[in-house]
Amino acid sequence: MIDDALEDGILSPDEEKRINSFAVGLETKIKLTSEKQLALKLSRQAYRLNMTELAEFPEIDASVNLQKNERVLARQEVEWNEIVQLKRPKGIWVSGDNYLKSIGRGYAMLTSKRILFDSSFESRKATHSSIQRIEVFADGIFCSRSTGKSLFFKFEIENEPEGLEFALLLKRILINLPVQGFLPTTCLIPEQVVDAEVVASPESESKNIKSVFPKTNPEPRFTFRVVGEHIGDRSYWIQKLAKNEPLQLVREPTNSNDRNAVEVRNSYGKSLGYLKKDVAAWFAGLMDRGKGYTANVLRIRSDNCLIVAVFEQ
């Protein structure tokens, strides 16, 4: 039941209540690994963040100079790195001609307008509008910027698991889309570390980096579990699916059971089930506002449960 609830990275109060009620009914205590506890915590936070507007986020105290009407929303100790382009090796290699340039260790602060960095020796800032994309890795947070150098906030999950909560808040506020609380499994920094005494030219270093991670297979924006697969002949059609097969997401605003209903169909229009009600509550709004999405088969679990990958167009 816990794995099922965590499948979409969002843990609603109703799901958590059902899990606890089930444990009480079995007269047993729930014992979880530290990794599973963190996954529950992140999924729980993702639900809260998705249900909260920017103006409703609480302010925290921080000894930094702020602009008018600017509020500090979160604070996380990180190593602040800038991603620079070098023609020859220097520092920690990331990809292509891109390397990490460490600015130092200190506190990254998310405000209602900017990301600020404060340490004993350095200070930095990045406006919300400059952040184009955020990716969370097992060793930190990558922020791709439209102007200025892209950033990497390095931290160790094992010792600083709260960094993942900071990452979720960054994604929710800066990208302004619902988030999912998944544990990252890949690292940005490879095992190979290159070090030399060759410094790039200013022209090379000032280039804007739109993406330092070219991907042949882009990561889905969302992954959703399909429910109601046991009804009618849906299980039969799910068994016919192949990995990466295209699927249809169909809004049903006139559905008598749920006006936010989003049906999942195969390429022939056969019904495979629906998105979970808690997920449809916010995803339907994105679809209704004209946001374009495509979907395909991510995987089919051993219990015939369908997991779909959703991509932004």
Side-chain angles (χ1 to χ4, degrees):
M1 288 187 69
I2 291 172
D3 288 342
D4 199 49
L6 293 177
E7 194 72 66
D8 59 5
I10 301 171
L11 183 67
S12 70
D14 287 342
E15 286 179 309
E16 194 159 20
K17 184 178 179 180
R18 285 194 295 271
I19 292 170
N20 292 328
S21 296
F22 194 73
V24 170
L26 291 175
E27 298 183 354
T28 186
K29 292 183 178 180
I30 300 175
K31 296 182 179 180
L32 302 172
T33 64
S34 57
E35 181 176 303
K36 191 61 66 68
Q37 290 176 23
L38 180 56
L40 281 170
K41 188 176 183 180
L42 290 176
S43 296
R44 191 181 296 116
Q45 187 200 21
Y47 177 86
R48 289 198 302 266
L49 292 178
N50 293 339
M51 298 297 164
T52 305
E53 298 296 332
L54 175 60
E56 299 173 352
F57 284 101
E59 182 177 4
I60 67 172
D61 294 328
S63 56
V64 292
N65 294 323
L66 300 175
Q67 299 174 355
K68 185 178 180 181
N69 298 324
E70 185 177 19
R71 301 180 298 127
V72 178
L73 307 176
R75 184 172 181 262
Q76 174 64 35
E77 186 174 2
V78 301
E79 180 186 310
W80 182 290
N81 291 270
E82 294 177 347
I83 298 177
V84 297
Q85 286 192 335
L86 305 178
K87 293 182 178 179
R88 286 177 287 181
K90 181 179 176 61
I92 298 179
W93 173 79
V94 180
S95 70
D97 294 331
N98 302 302
Y99 292 79
L100 289 184
K101 177 182 178 182
S102 178
I103 303 303
R105 189 166 180 87
Y107 285 95
M109 285 164 282
L110 173 64
T111 79
S112 53
K113 298 181 179 181
R114 302 173 290 173
I115 303 176
L116 305 176
F117 176 68
D118 184 39
S119 72
S120 301
F121 304 101
E122 295 284 349
S123 62
R124 290 287 193 277
K125 62 183 178 181
T127 61
H128 287 193
S129 59
S130 72
I131 306 294
Q132 286 187 316
R133 180 165 57 92
I134 296 175
E135 290 195 32
V136 184
F137 292 88
D139 51 356
I141 309 166
F142 168 71
C143 296
S144 176
R145 301 177 67 195
S146 57
T147 57
K149 296 181 177 68
S150 293
L151 307 172
F152 182 63
F153 307 140
K154 185 177 182 295
F155 59 85
E156 300 296 333
I157 289 180
E158 184 176 352
N159 301 320
E160 302 166 291
E162 65 277 3
L164 292 178
E165 298 181 69
F166 182 74
L168 276 184
L169 188 58
L170 278 181
K171 293 184 74 172
R172 176 69 180 91
I173 292 178
L174 273 64
I175 307 302
N176 196 29
L177 284 174
V179 293
Q180 294 175 288
F182 294 123
L183 288 176
T185 57
T186 59
C187 293
L188 173 97
I189 300 175
E191 294 182 2
Q192 176 190 8
V193 175
V194 179
D195 199 358
E197 296 181 357
V198 182
V199 182
S201 65
E203 179 183 358
S204 171
E205 192 166 333
S206 64
K207 289 181 180 178
N208 173 41
I209 306 173
K210 293 186 178 180
S211 175
V212 295
F213 310 111
K215 297 176 180 177
T216 54
N217 296 311
E219 292 292 322
R221 181 63 185 85
F222 304 109
T223 58
F224 296 140
R225 179 202 164 189
V226 178
V227 297
E229 70 280 359
H230 60 283
I231 297 174
D233 60 355
R234 291 172 180 170
S235 292
Y236 170 80
W237 291 110
I238 288 175
Q239 292 171 8
K240 296 286 187 181
L241 296 173
K243 184 177 174 62
N244 297 324
E245 183 174 334
L247 300 172
Q248 302 177 38
L249 299 175
V250 182
R251 277 285 288 118
E252 290 187 354
T254 59
N255 188 301
S256 58
N257 295 316
D258 181 13
R259 62 184 180 85
N260 294 317
V262 179
E263 188 179 27
V264 181
R265 301 176 184 174
N266 66 12
S267 57
Y268 300 103
K270 296 290 186 180
S271 177
L272 305 174
Y274 288 81
L275 299 187
K276 291 167 59 176
K277 191 172 183 178
D278 292 335
V279 169
W282 54 263
F283 185 69
L286 299 180
M287 296 183 70
D288 293 344
R289 289 196 291 272
K291 198 83 173 177
Y293 293 97
T294 60
N296 62 31
V297 177
L298 182 64
R299 67 180 181 277
I300 300 173
R301 296 192 326 205
S302 58
D303 58 356
N304 208 46
C305 178
L306 173 62
I307 311 299
V308 301
V310 178
F311 302 85
E312 291 179 345
Q313 288 183 330

